[in-house]
Amino acid sequence: MPVPSAAPLAATASGGGAVPRHVAIIMDGNGRWAKARRLPRIAGHRQGIEAVRRTVEGAPTLGIEVLTLFAFSTENAKRPEDEVNDLMGLLRHYLRSEIGTLHKNNVRLRFIGEYRRLNPDLVELLESSAERTRLNTGLTLVIALNYGAQDEIVRAMQSIAADVAAGRLDAKTIDAALIDRRLDTADLPPPDLVIRTSGEQRLSNFLLWQAAYAELVFTDQLWPDFDTASLAAALAEFATRERRYGGI
């Protein structure tokens, strides 16, 4: 369901309604934002970083405990090499310029996906950033890098299969809770709300297992234009939903 305009709903979201603990966002529309302004795609990605900054700052003020951002998918690696290099360069810049502020603001940073397959210098930066903020107790900011949900589930199944083959695990004891513990998001609550910007209405291989009972909100707004008011509007829409988890 598309989100209505943000301004009249911001107060509602911060009022007394249900607030999701975990919000996940598919950040889409950087390229279209740039194309509409006759700018190179990298300009859209740069503005997308500004939207990340605004959203990370705004999330705790709205009561969100965990914010997961889909930054780079396994499929994104098929894009032109120059664009991939630009994206990784922006990620380096964001971490180097923002890690001090994130730490000061008590944000705990972590990464999911096959990010260790990225360039070694970037992997070192990612892991040192996560380690620096590991003991923080405020917002948990999860960045999905080189992430695909199908790949994540396959890796979890391979881990379980190896334990069964080695006799460390009885196949009859495999249940949803065990699979949860083998996923990249182990120890995080499942997302209550998944937001996708730019008008597309699909999950695109993002948190397929974890989002089984998540509410979905789609907005036509392009990611570079997203801000705290946009997030508040999505939360206001979430507060109107009745979540029955298969019950009556």
Side-chain angles (χ1 to χ4, degrees), residues 159-173 182:
S159 171
I160 292 171
D163 282 350
V164 171
R168 294 187 294 267
L169 181 66
D170 183 346
K172 294 179 181 178
T173 66
R182 300 297 177 102

Side-chain angles (χ1 to χ4, degrees), residues 50-73:
E50 294 304 312
V52 168
R53 184 177 290 110
R54 293 191 298 267
T55 304
V56 171
E57 290 176 352
T61 70
L62 296 170
I64 296 168
E65 298 176 26
V66 181
L67 177 67
T68 297
L69 302 178
F70 199 7
F72 189 80
S73 72

Side-chain angles (χ1 to χ4, degrees), residues 182-224:
R182 300 297 177 102
L183 296 174
D184 295 352
T185 52
D187 83 346
L188 292 174
D192 302 292
L193 171 63
V194 177
I195 302 168
R196 181 167 187 154
T197 59
S198 86
E200 304 294 347
Q201 299 188 18
R202 55 182 177 270
L203 288 176
S204 294
N205 199 19
F206 181 51
L207 299 179
L208 298 180
W209 175 277
Q210 298 90 332
Y213 283 100
E215 296 296 321
L216 308 178
V217 168
F218 304 104
T219 173
D220 291 333
Q221 190 174 37
L222 301 177
W223 176 249

Side-chain angles (χ1 to χ4, degrees), residues 68-168:
T68 297
L69 302 178
F70 199 7
F72 189 80
S73 72
T74 50
E75 291 78 18
N76 289 156
K78 301 173 186 176
R79 292 185 178 186
E81 184 177 356
D82 286 349
E83 182 170 354
V84 172
N85 289 338
D86 285 341
L87 287 167
M88 294 301 106
L90 285 173
L91 176 60
R92 287 183 179 90
H93 176 73
Y94 174 78
L95 288 174
R96 288 169 178 156
S97 63
E98 294 295 314
I99 188 60
T101 300
L102 292 172
H103 188 43
K104 180 181 177 181
N105 291 337
N106 201 27
V107 174
R108 180 170 70 114
L109 184 62
R110 64 180 287 182
F111 301 93
I112 61 174
E114 290 279 72
Y115 66 87
R116 291 186 178 89
R117 293 188 177 182
L118 300 174
N119 288 342
D121 71 301
L122 179 55
V123 174
E124 182 179 358
L125 177 60
L126 297 173
E127 294 188 336
S128 64
S129 299
E131 178 60 26
R132 182 174 176 182
T133 63
R134 180 174 58 88
L135 299 179
N136 290 344
T137 57
L139 175 74
T140 295
L141 174 60
V142 184
I143 299 180
L145 281 173
N146 202 26
Y147 174 87
Q150 291 177 336
D151 172 73
E152 176 189 32
I153 293 169
V154 167
R155 288 186 281 109
M157 295 304 102
Q158 289 172 337
S159 171
I160 292 171
D163 282 350
V164 171
R168 294 187 294 267

